[in-house]
């Protein structure tokens, strides 16, 4: 028996045993890394589709283009309690079942107008069981989505410029109804 060859083989085997657990390919992984939440790619994609329906693209970029979905995940991961996170994920996981009960299709197969109608009917809350937490999930998601959209860099710099330090005080100014103003600054 060649001792050197046996030691090399033993080194390769022990290195393989150390690396093997990290080579898990069976689970679909999300693209965003979170500290407290474990989400998969299908949950991430469903949330993106819902957010794209809440604030779609128009004259200005929509919520997905401004990466509001990442904002929602980070807010949920960092600022919500463990119970709040579980309720949100439970609502997200039950969302497609409720949509299937209402429309007979999953959310990603619906047209844009149908998506708006479904979101409105879920928000009104008369066609689903409250134990699924879908209504609470949708209200929370909508609040986070609007907050993230309004606080995005594009909105704060291009649409409604925010002046950190107020400039001169204008005593008399003509109000232009077409001009967008920032109500916060």
């Amino acid at each position: 028996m060649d001792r050197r060859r046996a030691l090399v083989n033993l080194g390769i085997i022990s290195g393989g045993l150390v690396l093997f657990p990290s080579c898990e390919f069976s689970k679909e992984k999300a693209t965003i890394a979170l500290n407290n939440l474990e989400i998969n790619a299908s949950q991430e994609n469903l949330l993106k589709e819902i957010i794209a329906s809440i604030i779609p693209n128009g004259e200005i970029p929509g919520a997905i283009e401004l990466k509001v979905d990442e904002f929602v995940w980070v807010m949920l991961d960092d600022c919500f309690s463990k119970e709040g996170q579980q309720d949100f994920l439970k609502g997200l996981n039950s969302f497609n079942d409720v949509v299937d009960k209402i429309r007979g299709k999953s959310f990603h197969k619906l047209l844009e107008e149908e998506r708006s109608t479904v979101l409105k009917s879920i928000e009104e809350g008369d066609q689903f069981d409250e134990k699924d937490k879908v209504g609470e999930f949708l209200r929370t998601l909508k609040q986070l989505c609007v907050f993230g959209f309004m606080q995005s860099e594009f909105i704060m710099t291009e649409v409604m410029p925010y002046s950190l330090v107020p400039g001169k005080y204008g005593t008399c100014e003509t109000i232009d109804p077409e001009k967008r103003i920032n109500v916060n600054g």
Side-chain angles (χ1 to χ4, degrees):
M1 178 174 191
D2 186 13
R3 185 180 292 169
R4 286 185 183 194
R5 186 146 185 93
L7 287 174
V8 167
N9 288 339
L10 184 63
I12 291 172
I13 289 171
S14 51
L17 288 174
V18 169
L19 293 176
F20 186 70
S22 65
C23 298
E24 183 183 355
F25 299 110
S26 62
K27 209 171 166 184
E28 54 180 330
K29 293 184 178 179
T31 57
I32 186 169
L34 302 169
N35 294 327
N36 301 319
L37 287 174
E38 285 189 29
I39 59 169
N40 57 34
S42 63
Q43 290 172 324
E44 187 179 17
N45 291 333
L46 178 61
L47 191 79
K48 276 184 182 178
E49 290 177 3
I50 297 169
I51 289 174
S53 296
I54 292 173
I55 303 178
N57 287 334
E59 290 178 22
I60 58 174
I64 294 299
E65 210 167 310
L66 297 178
K67 299 186 179 188
V68 173
D69 56 321
E70 293 176 10
F71 172 81
V72 169
W73 283 122
V74 169
M75 284 291 286
L76 186 66
D77 189 50
D78 291 345
C79 301
F80 278 57
S81 67
K82 195 78 173 167
E83 186 178 292
Q85 292 172 349
Q86 295 305 318
D87 288 346
F88 188 88
L89 289 178
K90 186 175 181 180
L92 178 63
N93 292 333
S94 303
F95 182 79
N96 258 339
D97 296 335
V98 171
V99 171
D100 197 28
K101 282 180 193 172
I102 295 172
R103 285 289 178 171
K105 297 180 199 173
S106 64
F107 190 73
H108 73 276
K109 291 181 181 175
L110 296 176
L111 300 173
E112 196 58 44
E113 299 86 32
E114 293 174 322
R115 287 181 177 189
S116 298
T117 306
V118 165
L119 290 177
K120 197 169 194 171
S121 67
I122 290 174
E123 202 172 346
E124 291 169 359
D126 55 344
Q127 299 179 359
F128 60 91
D129 193 6
E130 193 54 42
K131 71 178 182 182
D132 294 333
K133 307 275 185 191
V134 174
E136 184 180 327
F137 154 74
L138 195 57
R139 284 187 289 276
T140 304
L141 177 62
K142 199 170 181 179
Q143 288 172 351
L144 288 173
C145 189
V146 169
F147 181 67
F149 183 77
M150 294 304 291
Q151 301 301 317
S152 68
E153 182 180 349
F154 178 79
I155 298 295
M156 296 297 280
T157 58
E158 302 293 326
V159 178
M160 297 188 298
Y162 177 77
S163 60
L164 186 60
V165 178
K168 67 177 185 175
Y169 179 69
T171 57
C172 183
E173 187 171 333
T174 306
I175 297 175
D176 184 10
E178 300 294 320
K179 184 180 175 186
R180 294 182 178 164
I181 58 167
N182 191 343
V183 293
N184 296 325

